[in-house]
Amino acid sequence: MAPNNLRPKYISFDIYGTLINFDIDSTTRRLLDGRISEEQWPAFKKQFRGYRFDEVLGDYKPYEQILQDSFDRVCKYWGIGPTEGAGAAFGDAVRGWVAHEDVPAPLKVMGDNYKLVALSNADTSFLDISIPKLGADFHAVLTAEQAQAYKPRYQAFEYMLDTLNARPEDFLHVASHTRYDMHPMHDMGFRNLVVLDRGYDPITGGYDYTTVKSLDELNKNLGL
């Protein structure tokens, strides 16, 4: 899967959504508390996702504040007042999320053969809770808090390169999010890119990534 069949030094991962089940809908519905109709829910859900993306494009602020501000903004768009404590409620939910069922076994196999790196859009305290749920050893766990920037900002990826004293060709990167990971990484010169397709983003051409449906499939491609 790497150019010229070279073995990558690192396999890096997005965490939330890719390895940890991104179960934000249940908390979102509870916080809305009947303020929109069921028919309006799909549009609200899509726009909330867009506001979360927009929030991470600016200067760094703690992850719970990202969630609070993006929720308040989408609620304002819908004519709904702000919800005090929404960020804390979302933060509690994130800390309670668990690994996708199809992750721990193949990830352990991968970790026994490669150095695994986490590059996550959250604070370090969140990863301290989430990484042990994955069932594999990680060589490095890098966070937005450490980088002082969220993906898709280049600063987040530059932090990974600088911390590991590495170059883009040293990585095979796995994510389920094309806008946060694949698009900026491609533009920065990363070419060993793998989308683990969990239905979050449209699969489009032009970014030189491989698409897999599971980590088992990726392991097979790696000869594991």
Side-chain angles (χ1 to χ4, degrees), residues 24-44:
I24 202 168
D25 289 357
S26 58
T27 304
T28 306
R29 285 179 175 274
R30 178 171 61 81
L31 290 172
L32 286 172
D33 194 24
R35 289 181 286 177
I36 64 171
S37 68
E38 188 62 29
E39 290 74 21
Q40 293 172 314
W41 166 248
F44 185 97

Side-chain angles (χ1 to χ4, degrees), residues 133-209:
K133 299 177 182 180
L134 298 175
D137 292 330
F138 276 75
H139 175 75
V141 178
L142 310 177
T143 69
E145 180 182 15
Q146 296 165 9
Q148 289 292 288
Y150 289 89
K151 299 177 292 183
R153 292 191 58 203
Y154 284 15
Q155 183 175 329
F157 304 105
E158 289 168 343
Y159 178 77
M160 180 173 72
L161 295 173
D162 292 344
T163 299
L164 297 173
N165 190 26
R167 299 178 58 82
E169 55 266 30
D170 294 328
F171 294 86
L172 187 155
H173 186 74
V174 184
S176 295
H177 311 286
T178 57
R179 289 200 300 171
Y180 285 90
D181 290 72
M182 300 302 156
H183 295 177
M185 293 184 84
H186 178 272
D187 291 347
M188 291 180 69
F190 291 84
R191 287 297 179 269
N192 298 326
L193 302 174
V194 177
V195 173
L196 177 54
D197 185 9
R198 298 198 184 277
Y200 295 124
D201 291 337
I203 303 300
T204 59
Y207 289 93
D208 299 327
Y209 52 70

